[in-house]
Amino acid sequence: MTQIPKAYNAKNYEKGIYQKWEKAGAFMPKGDPKKKPFTISLPPPNATGQLHLGHAMMLAIEDIMVRYNRMQGRPTLWLPGTDHAAIATQNKVEKIIAEEGLDRHTMGRAKFLSRVKKYVKESQNTIRNQIRQMGASVDWTRERYTMDDQLTHAVRAAFLQMYKDGLIYRGHRIVNWCTRCGSTLADDELEYREEKSKFYYLKYGPVVIGTARPETKFHDKIIIVHPKDKRYKDLVGKELTVPWITGDVKAKFVADESADMEMGSGAMTITPAHSFVDFDLAQKYGFEVVQIINEKGEITEAGGEDFEGLHVLEARDKVVKELDKKGLLDHIDEEYVHNLSCCYRCGTAVEPLVSEQWFIDVNKKVRGKTLKERSLEAVRKGDIEILPDRFNKVYFHWIENLRDWCISRQIWWGHRIPVWHCVDKKCKHHKEPIVSLKDPDKCPKCKGTKLKQDPDTLDTWFSSGLWTFSTLGWPKKTSDFKKFHPTQVLETGYDILFFWVARMILMTTYLLDEVPFETVYLHGLIRDKQGRKMSKSLGNGIDPLDMIENYGADAVRLSLVLGSSPGNDLRVYEEKIAGYRNFVNKIWNSARYVLMNLEKEDFHTEIDPKTLSRADKWILHRLNQVTKQATKSLDKYSLSEVGMGVYDFFWSEYCDWYLEISKIQPNKAVLAHVLKTILKLLHPYTPYVTEVLWEKMDQKTLLITEEWPKVDPMFNFTKANKEMQAVLKVVSTIRQLRADYKLKPGQKIKASFQGAKLNAVLQDNMDIIMRLARLENPVIEKEEKKTPGSIVSFAGPVKIKLMTKGIVDVNKEKARLKAEIQNLTAYLKGLEGKLKNEGYIHNAPKQIVEADKQRYLEGKERLEKMVQQFKSLG
RNA sequence: GGGCGAUUAGCUCAGUUGGCUAGAGCGUCUGGUUUACACCCAGAAGGUCGCUGGUUCGAGCCCAGCAUCGCCCACCA
């Protein structure tokens, strides 16, 4: 007999339990070496501050997968780490130093970077602490950071290999440019903001062209028309002089199918340096590309002395005025709504411009395949399975339309591009890049020592694309790498399918000729109670740490997992978390009861099959069923389904019925066995409370490393299960009657039963029925006896009669019976129709028809008895 | 413009390969100190499964169309 507190206070236990696990080395991969390892690389949170509920969800989901597989005896590795998050981190630190009146340029590169490093260190500590608080069983001995020496080495190795294969090239191409960050952005690093602006129609020689950005049009010289457009047929190929912003220009008509005949005049001029579409056209035909806007968002010398140096917005007004003066302004549409592309990190409008950058060629064949082809194939062939599978389509579409990936960034924080140039003027090869794994000290050509490294850094997703294997020691073929790669699951939010998941597949299939992971589990976004995104500006965010403080980590985990399925958003709010806290407390109290009634040795005794009552057999049978279902569904990653299934079984069967029955006829070994098994089933979901209780049950092992429950064929009791369910139904029915007639809870009622085939079962369990339904002197009647003033109801085939003469109103009983008779009659009529239907009898599976027949016969019998009873009431 | 998702009780959501009178939690209502738990127990009310057709013996589930809400991608001369 062990006493524990009345309520579970998570705070008192969680820290100690986590330390115990960690000390025992329980997070390190052990398990049966013959079994296939199970590995998850934790998506490394940005080292920029704090974790939010999305991270908490990720940790909860992955921890469930990991704990389950660990209990299945597989060598299990969950590798944690953090990401240096180039732009995000740099922006954060820039903001911080701005408050001190500083900026990075006056500070200098070295000083600024050391400031960033300090910030990252603090942030990493916060994150480590938060991951621990969630109970995440990550292997801290293998923690990694994208800027670790070893990972940086992996980045360089990857760069070098891609460079040698000609996949990485330097080119003058159009890129997305953020004028605030002073850097390029990848296509998917843009966000779109709807904006209303003016739309200008301008007279350009014989045509009218439309534009939202007149300030880019100084050097428009090509007019594109559709080859089938009759209006311009004669003009195609011709050159003519037209008056334009800063004087006359020579314009040329070119036919290309990209022109839309329906739109405006059907003719358009192009600005190759500042529009992706126009740039492609210029490449196709070899048009001149003139830069109009520079990296600061100002007009270049191409605008002439009147415009050079003006910011784009100022220039816009001035250009329009100038055109108007010349009579070239046709009209202005004030209500033009369009999507403005903005920087996803700072929100500044993005300026497409041509710049010299490093790119990854996604269409060049290496070893017979392009990067695109490899990426598509991995998913098409089923080597990678995406959950939910509807995201396959989204993935394919994205890869198919992928352009060359711009990987250079003009920011300071990140992996410096491993390219050097010889700056010795005497060297003939000073234009050739030197790409090297280690910092070179001399030029390989002229042996000079004047080398300068490319000032740019790499896109942060370049290094995270290597995450599943750079963390395992690649490019060295370490034993970890051999054992744990490919990983099994990559679990992350669907919002970074492109950013990260696709990049990992692209990099890994090329570099390793294998997939990075077998399954992609995409979780949804966290929303508030009204379904809104959580955001700082709305102030509707919930801090996971506050919730853990108030309700415990187990409750927080449940609120993030139950009721959620891959790909679907999830609403999270405090009442929900409080509800799961109640569940955790219920676990605690069920164990409290068992602990109070059992001795230590009871937790170690085997179940003796000879001692099993029908109730024992029932709960053991149900436990088998639940275990079977849970195992099957967890293998398919149906985490919510399993959690809810066990929740339900535990609460509404084990607690509500079996524990109550155990107060009447206890079987200590069964009580202990079922509870211990439930703790195991729940452990992946609520690791803390289950581990605490496990300890209280005199277990010498840790629950985290216990074996996952197996179905025990000895405990399959189909018949007892059915019989016991009937008994429980009898109790429920009586309770219902008692409530209907407002019988006092304490008042014991005389009752009789007619159960036909079930009579023996009822007799065996009469104690239970009596106690749970508060009866006295219950009897089983073999024959119908008249008992005036009693009330009657049916639990399946069992007729229940409560002797309530003088207690209840006969008229009320008549009304109730009448309603029940009507209800049943309607039901039987439906069934009858079905059973008379030839089509149904022929086509439906036999068991279904058989079951309906049974139901019909049983219902019919019940109806007869009810009618009889109704009549007897006079 | 293309695509995807959602629509089931007042709220949040389950609902397997189509087959019991469609379920749970929260909330509401009625009762309740019983060998753990009031963070609890017993019971109840509450649903034209978004709409319209179709397939089928049978549809919440499959098909077509529509509506509303949300998301993603593309385009915007």
Side-chain angles (χ1 to χ4, degrees):
Chain A
M1 160 149 176
T2 314
Q3 275 290 354
I4 61 173
K6 240 177 123 162
Y8 174 62
N9 190 349
K11 258 195 280 185
N12 298 343
Y13 304 96
E14 291 184 349
K15 228 182 190 154
I17 290 289
Y18 196 90
Q19 277 168 4
K20 215 169 152 182
W21 288 329
E22 213 177 333
K23 246 189 212 154
F27 302 159
M28 298 206 281
K30 290 173 186 162
D32 182 350
K34 276 178 276 174
K35 288 191 174 169
K36 186 181 174 188
F38 183 84
T39 308
I40 295 184
S41 306
L42 178 78
N46 289 354
T48 53
Q50 304 220 326
L51 300 189
H52 50 71
L53 272 182
H55 292 113
M57 182 189 212
M58 162 185 93
L59 291 166
I61 292 174
E62 291 176 26
D63 198 38
I64 291 169
M65 296 176 178
V66 162
R67 283 179 190 267
Y68 166 66
N69 280 286
R70 188 184 287 124
M71 289 174 85
Q72 284 287 18
R74 295 170 73 173
T76 301
L77 170 62
W78 189 13
L79 189 147
T82 45
D83 193 297
H84 68 284
I87 301 183
T89 311
Q90 172 154 333
N91 285 357
K92 267 257 164 78
V93 177
E94 278 185 288
K95 252 182 215 161
I96 294 170
I97 61 172
E99 279 167 25
E100 300 164 15
L102 295 167
D103 77 276
R104 69 176 162 113
H105 297 285
T106 53
M107 227 171 158
R109 189 161 187 151
K111 231 176 160 187
F112 179 73
L113 289 182
S114 80
R115 186 67 194 259
V116 175
K117 281 178 191 159
K118 192 179 144 220
Y119 173 77
V120 165
K121 264 213 174 107
E122 288 162 15
S123 170
Q124 283 173 325
N125 279 331
T126 314
I127 290 169
R128 285 187 195 112
N129 177 38
Q130 286 174 309
I131 294 176
R132 284 192 161 87
Q133 291 206 45
M134 279 297 291
S137 56
V138 297
D139 184 355
W140 290 109
T141 64
R142 285 177 169 83
E143 186 191 350
R144 296 289 182 270
Y145 170 45
T146 47
M147 295 284 269
D148 285 345
D149 289 346
Q150 197 272 310
L151 277 80
T152 301
H153 178 67
V155 164
R156 285 195 177 186
F159 190 98
L160 188 64
Q161 187 176 331
M162 297 182 106
Y163 182 76
K164 280 186 179 158
D165 278 338
L167 289 176
I168 289 185
Y169 67 93
R170 189 153 166 84
H172 241 96
R173 298 183 42 127
I174 189 156
V175 292
N176 302 297
W177 183 268
C178 173
T179 51
R180 198 223 60 90
C181 297
S183 178
T184 56
L185 293 170
D187 292 344
D188 46 275
E189 288 174 317
L190 305 180
E191 263 173 13
Y192 295 93
R193 203 162 58 213
E194 196 176 87
E195 223 177 53
K196 201 160 82 180
S197 70
K198 290 181 183 172
F199 196 76
Y200 307 89
Y201 289 88
L202 311 174
K203 290 176 189 158
Y204 188 85
V207 298
V208 171
I209 58 160
T211 182
R213 304 204 56 192
E215 73 277 14
T216 65
K217 305 236 146 253
F218 291 100
H219 280 251
D220 282 19
K221 285 173 191 159
I222 305 293
I223 304 166
I224 305 281
V225 294
H226 198 276
K228 286 187 184 151
D229 198 329
K230 285 178 192 147
R231 292 170 290 182
Y232 307 110
K233 222 174 82 188
D234 299 336
L235 287 167
V236 171
K238 297 240 165 82
E239 273 192 76
L240 61 159
T241 304
V242 300
W244 198 227
I245 310 166
T246 51
D248 290 355
V249 291
K250 271 205 175 140
K252 190 177 173 184
F253 278 84
V254 172
D256 188 275
E257 285 171 357
S258 61
D260 182 353
M261 289 193 277
E262 307 298 316
M263 199 149 176
S265 60
M268 64 175 178
T269 64
I270 60 166
T271 312
H274 302 286
S275 152
F276 279 82
V277 180
D278 296 0
F279 183 81
D280 288 346
L281 275 170
Q283 295 288 94
K284 187 170 167 187
Y285 293 102
F287 301 144
E288 192 190 1
V289 178
V290 183
Q291 186 170 4
I292 311 290
I293 298 164
N294 68 16
E295 278 83 355
K296 289 181 198 154
E298 296 163 354
I299 304 297
T300 64
E301 57 181 10
E305 46 186 60
D306 287 349
F307 292 93
E308 185 178 354
L310 288 183
H311 188 263
V312 283
L313 292 180
E314 289 173 278
R316 181 175 304 172
D317 289 338
K318 199 165 169 187
V319 166
V320 173
K321 266 187 204 145
E322 188 66 25
L323 287 165
D324 196 18
K325 231 194 288 178
K326 294 187 170 185
L328 298 176
L329 180 62
D330 193 82
H331 69 282
I332 301 174
D333 177 1
E334 305 271 345
E335 300 284 304
Y336 179 65
V337 179
H338 66 139
N339 285 323
L340 191 65
S341 43
C342 301
C343 172
Y344 82 138
R345 286 300 176 202
C346 71
T348 311
V350 160
E351 204 58 75
L353 50 82
V354 171
S355 162
E356 189 169 43
Q357 300 291 341
W358 290 96
F359 293 89
I360 290 180
D361 190 331
V362 295
N363 291 308
K364 183 185 156 94
K365 278 197 203 282
V366 172
R367 302 192 303 275
K369 282 172 200 154
T370 67
L371 293 182
K372 267 186 179 179
E373 286 163 353
R374 285 172 202 278
S375 302
L376 289 173
E377 207 181 270
V379 179
R380 276 219 180 102
K381 272 171 50 191
D383 296 342
I384 296 175
E385 187 190 13
I386 303 180
L387 294 177
D389 62 4
R390 66 183 139 92
F391 280 98
N392 280 334
K393 236 174 139 174
V394 183
Y395 172 80
F396 290 141
H397 182 258
W398 191 80
I399 295 281
E400 278 159 8
N401 293 290
L402 192 62
R403 299 164 180 262
D404 284 1
W405 171 15
C406 175
I407 50 168
S408 46
R409 297 288 180 273
Q410 289 64 52
I411 56 170
W412 291 348
W413 178 236
H415 296 104
R416 193 92 176 254
I417 291 182
V419 172
W420 289 260
H421 286 91
C422 180
V423 288
D424 194 327
K425 278 175 196 151
K426 283 175 277 174
C427 181
K428 286 177 207 155
H429 302 275
H430 67 271
K431 279 192 178 155
E432 286 172 27
I434 304 160
V435 181
S436 172
L437 269 184
K438 289 205 175 118
D439 291 15
D441 42 22
K442 47 177 116 103
C443 170
K445 295 285 160 68
C446 76
K447 309 293 174 201
T449 52
K450 287 182 191 161
L451 297 178
K452 208 175 157 192
Q453 189 173 6
D454 192 306
D456 289 356
T457 49
L458 282 168
D459 180 1
T460 199
W461 302 106
F462 187 97
S463 55
S464 28
L466 316 174
W467 184 249
T468 59
F469 52 92
S470 62
T471 51
L472 296 173
W474 186 88
K476 277 205 199 99
K477 294 258 184 323
T478 61
S479 62
D480 267 10
F481 175 73
K482 283 186 233 162
K483 207 186 281 173
F484 299 116
H485 205 275
T487 66
Q488 272 55 59
V489 180
L490 187 276
E491 190 279 340
T492 190
Y494 64 71
D495 52 330
I496 57 171
L497 177 63
F498 305 142
F499 284 134
W500 190 42
V501 180
R503 255 65 178 269
M504 291 169 95
I505 297 175
L506 185 141
M507 294 292 241
T508 314
T509 49
Y510 158 72
L511 287 166
L512 304 183
D513 265 322
E514 66 182 27
V515 294
F517 30 70
E518 295 167 355
T519 302
V520 177
Y521 182 107
L522 295 170
H523 64 242
L525 267 37
I526 303 279
R527 298 180 175 277
D528 72 0
K529 202 176 181 181
Q530 282 100 51
R532 301 173 304 177
K533 261 190 183 175
M534 289 190 179
S535 71
K536 272 183 199 150
S537 53
L538 280 171
N540 60 346
I542 295 179
D543 182 352
L545 288 191
D546 287 349
M547 294 299 113
I548 291 174
E549 173 74 17
N550 291 336
Y551 302 102
D554 291 336
V556 173
R557 293 165 61 112
L558 288 169
S559 73
L560 294 167
V561 174
L562 300 200
S564 90
S565 49
N568 293 322
D569 294 353
L570 180 73
R571 300 185 191 208
V572 177
Y573 39 91
E574 193 162 350
E575 300 97 291
K576 198 167 178 174
I577 300 169
Y580 287 118
R581 186 270 320 265
N582 296 352
F583 171 65
V584 171
N585 190 56
K586 185 78 180 175
I587 303 172
W588 178 262
N589 268 290
S590 66
R592 179 167 183 256
Y593 166 76
V594 173
L595 285 165
M596 279 165 64
N597 285 284
L598 268 59
E599 300 305 323
K600 276 185 181 173
E601 56 272 20
D602 293 324
F603 291 103
H604 304 283
T605 39
E606 295 265 314
I607 292 174
D608 177 359
K610 292 192 293 284
T611 65
L612 296 180
S613 72
R614 218 176 245 100
D616 297 329
K617 288 178 178 173
W618 159 71
I619 200 74
L620 288 167
H621 181 85
R622 287 288 301 131
L623 183 68
N624 262 354
Q625 289 182 318
V626 170
T627 301
K628 189 176 169 188
Q629 184 60 41
T631 308
K632 200 173 133 197
S633 295
L634 275 175
D635 285 332
K636 290 190 300 182
Y637 304 111
S638 301
L639 311 189
S640 172
E641 189 189 310
V642 172
M644 293 199 291
V646 180
Y647 176 115
D648 226 47
F649 169 70
F650 163 72
W651 199 319
S652 48
E653 296 186 73
Y654 181 71
C655 289
D656 287 349
W657 290 107
Y658 189 73
L659 285 190
E660 292 309 313
I661 291 169
S662 82
K663 291 171 188 175
I664 303 154
Q665 38 166 248
N667 183 324
K668 292 183 176 181
V670 174
L671 214 47
H673 171 77
V674 178
L675 183 58
K676 276 163 64 188
T677 309
I678 289 173
L679 290 184
K680 288 180 191 172
L681 294 172
L682 284 173
H683 182 259
Y685 294 81
T686 55
Y688 285 118
V689 70
T690 50
E691 188 73 76
V692 176
L693 292 171
W694 188 254
E695 189 181 18
K696 304 263 185 226
M697 288 172 188
D698 191 41
Q699 302 299 313
K700 306 293 180 241
T701 54
L702 285 173
L703 183 54
I704 186 175
T705 45
E706 270 296 303
E707 198 185 333
W708 183 256
K710 284 197 175 73
V711 171
D712 189 339
M714 289 239 309
F715 297 153
N716 281 338
F717 298 113
T718 316
K719 186 161 166 263
N721 176 49
K722 263 194 197 152
E723 290 169 347
M724 198 60 206
Q725 308 258 14
V727 171
L728 302 186
K729 187 149 190 220
V730 166
V731 174
S732 291
T733 307
I734 298 170
R735 284 173 174 173
Q736 210 172 312
L737 284 173
R738 295 185 62 116
D740 266 2
Y741 287 102
K742 304 219 179 337
L743 301 182
K744 286 198 193 93
Q747 186 175 16
K748 301 226 166 121
I749 307 287
K750 287 199 182 92
S752 74
F753 301 95
Q754 273 189 295
K757 278 185 232 157
L758 283 169
N759 276 347
V761 174
L762 293 174
Q763 190 61 63
D764 286 352
N765 291 283
M766 202 46 90
D767 269 2
I768 291 171
I769 298 171
M770 210 167 86
R771 284 277 292 278
L772 297 184
R774 312 222 133 209
L775 303 177
E776 60 180 3
N777 303 326
V779 290
I780 291 181
E781 284 178 6
K782 295 246 164 63
E783 316 231 321
E784 180 68 41
K785 280 184 201 152
K786 290 220 163 163
T787 358
S790 59
I791 54 178
V792 167
S793 191
F794 295 86
V798 180
K799 179 178 175 185
I800 301 163
K801 191 154 61 173
L802 299 187
M803 319 301 184
T804 51
K805 191 175 180 192
I807 309 175
V808 304
D809 175 6
V810 179
N811 286 327
K812 191 178 171 185
E813 172 67 354
K814 276 170 85 176
R816 190 187 63 87
L817 266 179
K818 196 175 171 189
E820 265 190 42
I821 287 168
Q822 275 170 355
N823 182 21
L824 188 55
T825 309
Y827 169 59
L828 289 173
K829 209 176 149 193
L831 266 183
E832 205 177 321
K834 221 169 154 185
L835 290 166
K836 276 185 185 157
N837 185 329
E838 290 280 322
Y840 174 67
I841 302 292
H842 281 293
N843 296 319
K846 268 193 183 134
Q847 323 94 297
I848 302 277
V849 179
E850 216 24 63
D852 270 346
K853 273 186 189 161
Q854 279 305 314
R855 266 193 287 275
Y856 180 72
L857 291 176
E858 189 194 292
K860 199 85 186 161
E861 201 184 320
R862 199 171 356 137
L863 182 67
E864 267 167 41
K865 287 183 186 165
M866 260 185 216
V867 171
Q868 239 175 47
Q869 173 67 16
F870 183 75
K871 281 181 186 155
S872 78
L873 292 176

